[in-house]
Amino acid sequence: MSRLRNLNIPDTLRGRSWPGQTPPGGDNQEPPYNIIPVAAVRADHPSLRVPEVRAACATLRSVNDLRWPPRTQRRPDYDLLDWLRLFFGFQEDNVRNQREHLVLHLATSRCGSPSRNYTFWCSYLGRKSNIWISDCHDAVSDHGSANLRLMPECICYIFHNMAMEMNRILENYIDPNTGQPVLPSVSGEKAFLKEVVKPIYDTIKKEVDRSKNGTAPPGAWRNYDDINEYFWSGRCFAKLSWPIDRRSSFFTRDENRYGVGKVGFVETRTFWNLFQSFDRLWVMLVLFLQAAIIVAWHDDKEYPWQALKSRDLQVKVLTIFMTWSGMRFLQSLLDAGTQYLLVSRETMFLGVRMVMKIIVASLWMIAFWVFYGRIWSQRNADERWSQEANRRLVHFLELAFVFVLPELLGLALMIIPWIQNFLEERNWRIFHLFTWWFQSRIFVGRGLREGLVDSVKYSLFWIHVLATKFLFSYFLQIKPMIQPTKQLLELLDVKYEWHQFYGDSNRFAVGLLWLPVVLIYLMDLQIWYSIYSSLVGAAVGLLDHLGEIRNLGQVRLRFQYFASAVQFNLMPEGQLLQTIGNKFKDLLYRLKLRYGLGKPYQKFEPNQIEGLRFALLWNEIIAIFREEDIVSDQEVELLELRRSAWSDRVISWPCFLLFNELLLALRQAKELVDATDKRLWYKICKNEYRRCAVIEAYDSVKHLLLEIVKIDSKEHSVITDLFEKIDGSIKDGKFTKQFNLSMLPEIHKYISKLAKLLKDSKKDVGKIVLALQALYRIVIREFSIDGEDQLASGGRLPFMDAVELPDPSNNQFHWQVRRLHIILTSRDSTHNVPSNVEARWRICFFSNSLFMNMPHAPKVEKMFGFSVLTPYHNEEVLYSKEQLLKKNEDGVCILFYLKTVYPDEWKYFIERMLREGKVVKADEDDEKMAKLRDLRLWASYRGLTLARAVRGMMYYHRALKVMAFLDSASEVEIQELAKRLDSGGQDGSTNSSRLEELSSSLSFNTCISSTNLSSEDHISAMKCTFVVACQIYGSQKAEKDNRAEEILYLMKTNEALRVAYVKEVPAGRDEKEYYSVLLGEGKSENQNHALIFTRGDAVQTIDMNQDNYFEEALKMRNLLEEFKTYYGIRKPTVLGVREHIFTGSVSSLAWFMSAQETSLVTLGQRVLANPLKVRMNYSHSDVFDRFWFLSRGGISKASRMINISEDISAGFNCTLRGGKVTHHEYIQVGKGRDVGLNQISMVEAKVAAGNGEQVLSRDVYRLGHRLDFFRMLSFFYTTVGYFFSTTMVILTAYAFLWGRLYLCPKGLEGAAASSSNDNKALGTILNLFVIQLCLFTAIPMIVESTLQHGFLQAMWDFMTKQLQLSSVFYTFSMGTRAHYFGRTVLHGSAKYRPTGHGFVVDHKSFAENYRLYARSHFVKAIELGLLLTFYASRSHADKNTFTYKALTISSWFLVVSWIMAPFLFNPLGFDSLKTVHDFDDFMNWIWFRVGVFTKAEESWEVWWYEEQDHLRTTGLWGKLVEVILDLRFFLFQYGVVYQLGIPAGSRSISVYLLSLICFFVILGVHALISYAWDKYAAREHMYYRLVQFLIIILGALALVALVEYRQLQLLEIFTSLLAFIPTGWGLISIAQVLRPILKPTWIWGRVVSLARLYDIMFGVIVMAPIAVFSWMPGSIKTRILFNQSI
């Protein structure tokens, strides 16, 4: 037994203490706290440095003038929240959590009031708001209301009544009954929980139990939305009252007493939901199809508008109004048939409207038929279009005008959207009266129209799409089908090859011929949307300046502007007031910055403060790259921006920018040897990096020589004089006259040699002296024109005793020498820095984003506070030593796999470990390495683990500390910090002080006082928190699970990390108390349960498979400022964030998924946000307006099954409630996709099933009806419509092949084969298949890749993917989506499918692949293959035509892809030994005996029953449709038996009936053998053998008789068996539907036995090609793809 307890602060939050504070449990015990110790504010705590915090705390304690409850002992430390607790019975732990939340909200919030939803609710119900003096809505209600947080209007109701009572207390009302000061209706210890929350919670719990874990029909139980929508009507006040009346019908719902049922909407599982929710779309498609067929049928002109000049044709086209009225009648029937459960005694008017709609729709239908018939009766009577006929036509048009008048009004309101918004948002009864007929009045879905400019943009988009689609459909789909249709209808004297049921009519054949064309007509709008959205998305991306910097070459070109870009975008000094003048200046500055216009944006000086700030940020980014092991120590030196002590005249650019520049300058000097100084210097200065390289090299050489030569030596004086002479000649402009420039290359060679000798760790002084002597000779004798050798006299060689090398500990000197050597010797071959692809991409994206449009960053203390929320269940936290070293059956472990996949990062990791002294040699044994936590972290950071997500999200905290320091630090402090950083260095490969100092200094330890935290630490803690919602962390701790220990380790090492979990407390012998109870979908409830522990104005949702980057975290301040910006007529409530797929390099499948994600998601969401304005919450990295969503039901919905796709439901809720979702691509978050086919398929199945559940949801229905027409189209084709279209593609293949199966044996195809128009019909279908396969997937992928990487790279990647069989993978995925979407729409059965996010290093057995793909792919592929085989053998079409070949090849490609993909992308999928083992394992699985605890992985029978679960929970319509679909298998036998020689040409129906008898005889034989096996095989084996013998003898006699008397041939025996196989499968499928009836009978056992034989046969068919490939020689069979790294 369990019971609900309060939602409390998790233990992990209670034990948090600051450094310098006595920890909980110490001598000076203090109340635990999370961020600020509000309950016991100490003078030395950093929070008191913030004036807003002091003011908020003081306000809370201002309770002296308040009346306290009677019989209450008031304590000095009580504050306002304690006052509320004592009056209303709130729980103490909730009050503690809310106290800190309220203080932080008051001190740091920049958002508006969170009670706006309550105000709207009051206005909607015509109630006066009870907010008189303050906003306490979020403070009082949301955080103590458990699962009620998912029902925002329920909370509004509770708050409304409690606020009214609080106001009476504050106004000192006197209770007239007692004469005493009024008291709340609900008060006492935990009264709020017991008297308010618990009754409603109990109701929710009963409804959840009634749902039977989501398997009950959705209309049989109330979900969260039903209970919440009860509070959308005024009856909640009348029926529920206050205090809550538990006898209310709201709580009562059983067979004996009347109770509240479904409210607002009834979710009914039927495929008609697609029509019901998007009826306007289907009306448009059906009416155009009808009109186009009519015009094309009578069109003997070239263009349809020429044919429409005929009055007869014009009138025939008017039949679309009859069809329209019929579809409206169908809609009214569906509304009544699915929503009748909404009608009750309290909602009688709803039932009246349903009936009236049916009546009115039927009257319209009758009226159109009557008026139309009158037109033609008059026309035929007059035999011309007389005046009377025209008058009747006018009457029909008048009737049609009245019929479409509401649509015209809607069109007018779409053109002027603000009028409709104004009317819908006003609660005027007159408006409700006018709209009552068309739609129910609901609280959401009002005022959804966008502004005029936005409406024009997305309207133009869809006008172009629809125009293209309709032109294409008419000329290439419909018109080519007319002539073959006419000829088929006119065919007479056809020699039918089977029994004909329809006489001489070919209409059914015409229907089958048109069926695939109509199916593609209904879905190809998805194709045109994909094409246009790709083009528009590319244009929007170009306007947003995406992809302008796509490689390091372009980084070099823009790098000199980076400091100004950082200063302008990331530093608060660049912030401008949002006035029109300042916006224009802002635009002008951005243009100058982006294109390098204007002097201020050409370069920055070395000592400018903006340059120092940028250097600090850039170096921190590079240092973090090194921490992540994506760059080497050497690359750090090449990338870091550090001031040179030897040259302060120019910027010391990162070395990778100066590659080859000095050599090019030397070449220019050699070519311009006779030029003047001015001309030579002008040529060099045309390139900024070259100018700086020359100056820095000269200064560095000068400083180097003077430093290594003794000061008191003659050589030092000579060198000084020489450089003074050179400086003087340069100053006088006579350098080219006084020095021989042709010798510069020789001088360069000797200086380079000298630098190389000096940078070596073991320096040879003798060689250094020789190098100096050689350099001196060439400078004096050949370089200087009038040079004089001052060291020739003296009797000793120059520099013999004059060299004095600096101390080896002088890190600055050695760093300068290395830098000089790089500048002197670098060439183009070293241009590829960094070498790691991920590092290059991150640098390029960050660099590009600096020049994109983004809001200016405020100071950290003024920015929006935010939290990051990650739901976690039981995934990996940190890889253990055992996990890393555990080898699979092929001897491969995870560590070996990672070292192979990430060879460069492993190399850099070993380099770092050697430098830090944690390993002694590079080839250390794996066993010893695995003991290092660093190695476990390194491996975990490459997997999809919690550790990786935590590290990434903690970059927000680190970035805010950096930015807080830069915001507040003075120029002197920044210069001192930069000087201290520059004074550090590295000494070869053994000195790590440079990186260590960089890391520690940029953490600003110098700003931390000796006794307390730094202000930067405190500000970042107040502004950013990371909450992991780990619901089972408490049980993990109790069970001492290693995951709990690793989570604790992460908390200790990451100060901003918090963990929220459900605590379980024993409360007696059989009872347990829970601090929270999750009743709905686990992930959604997990998120909303933890949402109250987040802080700030915004919350970012991050999934377990995501990562973040420090350089992107720097832009979070800018992103949060988007909440202040109007996009159209609204400010955003959800900020969409771009996702970067970081797993693309792991395998070919990961690359395919990355490309698909980039094209269909990144590009798609860009278009959805602008211009289509229907972006929902597709991304797990979106940022939510926290207070907006807290008061509107949370960031996800949680009703069982319906909201299994929790993320998209938040977008639906946001849009319906008037929110705005935008998309921003100047910031990105990392995301990892699953890398194995089985993992990917489970994700695809989950998403497809989730969309299937969305089809029946109220949110989709309301959006389909309440969005304007064009936004409705965008919404449909980017949500459920995408999966519907995918399903239609598969159905088209079925319709085409089954239609051909009908036409071939019937003889119609042979009769029509002589006509070339039959090829036109086939060509029409072929064109559509080609478009679908090519354009649907290829164009978005190529367009987005072109935008990001360039056209040539995009084409190269596309061709590479094709060679790696990406089309096979995409075709296979299409089958996955179609199967699970279709099954869910018909039957339900959606469920969460965990993938584990693990590495794919194991070979997946055949049995495992068969279990996963048998029903979704293998059986369907075998069916299509059988149809194709029959079509190829019986088709009368010309098999040499391109049309026939292309159709059959494309269909066979589908079959091969569905069968072979799981093995092509399976490690060692074609290994011969594994194939043999897989077959044995498969057969063992097939025949495994079922036990009590047997799992599907062990036994075929358990798996077979699990595959039927959807049929157990489906409704009557689902079972009926399933049976109808299964009847197709009987058609195959019907067509085949008439082709055999046995019937001797007979076309009687008795032939088919006799074949069925033969089939049932075979089934009877099988049943007899099964019965004999069960009864005699064990003990009386001879009887079993006798039965077998008799069956064999009788079978042989039957075959002999058929051969002798009916001339039966061997091929016909095979053909007969081929015909019986589909029939048997059809019977099995129908028996599964009838399982409740058949299972108690003996028939069910025979069904199970037959089904086992079929699965054995299917398994053998699928394994046959695998066996063939397994015995192929060479590595082609296993390494044809990069699908394994072993």
Side-chain angles (χ1 to χ4, degrees), residues 330-392:
L330 175 62
Q331 175 77 352
S332 63
L333 287 178
L334 290 175
D335 284 342
T338 58
Q339 304 299 311
Y340 68 91
L341 289 177
L342 295 178
V343 181
S344 65
R345 289 180 296 182
E346 299 174 353
T347 57
M348 290 300 296
F349 281 108
L350 188 59
V352 171
R353 191 184 68 174
M354 290 180 183
V355 175
M356 291 180 61
K357 276 198 166 188
I358 295 175
I359 295 173
V360 171
S362 60
L363 292 176
W364 274 113
M365 191 167 53
I366 295 171
F368 275 123
W369 279 94
V370 171
F371 275 65
Y372 188 79
R374 294 178 68 248
I375 294 174
W376 282 107
S377 63
Q378 187 66 40
R379 162 68 176 80
N380 294 332
D382 298 340
E383 297 183 351
R384 64 185 181 86
W385 287 102
S386 62
Q387 184 176 1
E388 179 62 22
N390 287 326
R391 187 178 65 82
R392 294 187 176 186

Side-chain angles (χ1 to χ4, degrees), residues 339-563:
Q339 304 299 311
Y340 68 91
L341 289 177
L342 295 178
V343 181
S344 65
R345 289 180 296 182
E346 299 174 353
T347 57
M348 290 300 296
F349 281 108
L350 188 59
V352 171
R353 191 184 68 174
M354 290 180 183
V355 175
M356 291 180 61
K357 276 198 166 188
I358 295 175
I359 295 173
V360 171
S362 60
L363 292 176
W364 274 113
M365 191 167 53
I366 295 171
F368 275 123
W369 279 94
V370 171
F371 275 65
Y372 188 79
R374 294 178 68 248
I375 294 174
W376 282 107
S377 63
Q378 187 66 40
R379 162 68 176 80
N380 294 332
D382 298 340
E383 297 183 351
R384 64 185 181 86
W385 287 102
S386 62
Q387 184 176 1
E388 179 62 22
N390 287 326
R391 187 178 65 82
R392 294 187 176 186
L393 175 60
V394 171
H395 290 166
F396 183 90
L397 293 175
E398 291 173 348
L399 181 70
F401 175 77
V402 176
F403 181 77
V404 301
L405 188 60
E407 309 299 330
L408 296 176
L409 179 60
L411 179 62
L413 292 176
M414 190 173 71
I415 297 174
I416 43 178
W418 58 83
I419 294 181
Q420 184 168 355
N421 283 344
F422 176 81
L423 293 175
E424 288 182 350
E425 291 174 352
R426 296 298 177 274
N427 297 293
W428 296 343
R429 293 185 178 274
I430 186 65
F431 179 73
H432 300 158
L433 181 64
F434 283 128
T435 59
W436 173 82
W437 176 257
F438 301 101
Q439 59 189 15
S440 300
R441 181 175 180 248
I442 56 176
F443 181 62
V444 300
R446 301 177 297 153
L448 301 185
R449 298 299 182 268
E450 294 290 339
L452 181 60
V453 175
D454 291 329
S455 299
V456 169
K457 287 195 295 184
Y458 62 70
S459 298
L460 288 175
F461 173 88
W462 275 108
I463 287 172
H464 283 84
V465 173
L466 293 174
T468 307
K469 183 260 188 301
F470 289 141
L471 288 173
F472 179 87
S473 296
Y474 181 82
F475 288 105
L476 294 178
Q477 288 179 337
I478 298 172
K479 194 171 184 180
M481 294 292 294
I482 298 299
Q483 193 64 26
T485 302
K486 290 181 178 180
Q487 291 185 354
L488 193 60
L489 290 174
E490 294 170 358
L491 279 177
L492 301 175
D493 301 326
V494 178
K495 183 181 179 181
Y496 297 110
E497 299 179 4
W498 63 10
H499 179 74
Q500 176 68 5
F501 288 101
Y502 308 105
D504 295 332
S505 174
N506 294 326
R507 293 180 179 178
F508 186 72
V510 169
L512 290 178
L513 185 68
W514 273 83
L515 182 58
V517 177
V518 172
L519 290 177
I520 295 183
Y521 166 82
L522 293 176
M523 63 76 56
D524 67 347
L525 193 54
Q526 181 78 56
I527 298 173
W528 296 113
Y529 167 79
S530 298
I531 295 172
Y532 274 93
S533 66
S534 300
L535 300 177
V536 172
V540 173
L542 289 173
L543 293 176
D544 288 341
H545 308 283
L546 279 170
E548 290 184 352
I549 300 178
R550 59 173 69 111
N551 54 52
L552 288 179
Q554 292 167 333
V555 171
R556 293 181 77 245
L557 295 176
R558 294 279 191 96
F559 196 88
Q560 55 187 311
Y561 310 125
F562 281 10

Side-chain angles (χ1 to χ4, degrees), residues 1497-1510:
E1497 294 81 6
E1498 301 170 341
S1499 170
W1500 168 88
E1501 190 169 342
V1502 176
W1503 167 81
W1504 188 71
Y1505 278 111
E1506 287 185 358
E1507 283 294 312
Q1508 305 171 34
D1509 283 346
H1510 63 283

Side-chain angles (χ1 to χ4, degrees), residues 1279-1298:
T1279 52
V1280 296
Y1282 171 78
F1283 293 88
F1284 169 78
S1285 300
T1286 303
T1287 306
M1288 294 295 283
V1289 171
I1290 305 303
L1291 290 178
T1292 301
Y1294 274 85
F1296 170 74
L1297 292 175
W1298 279 103

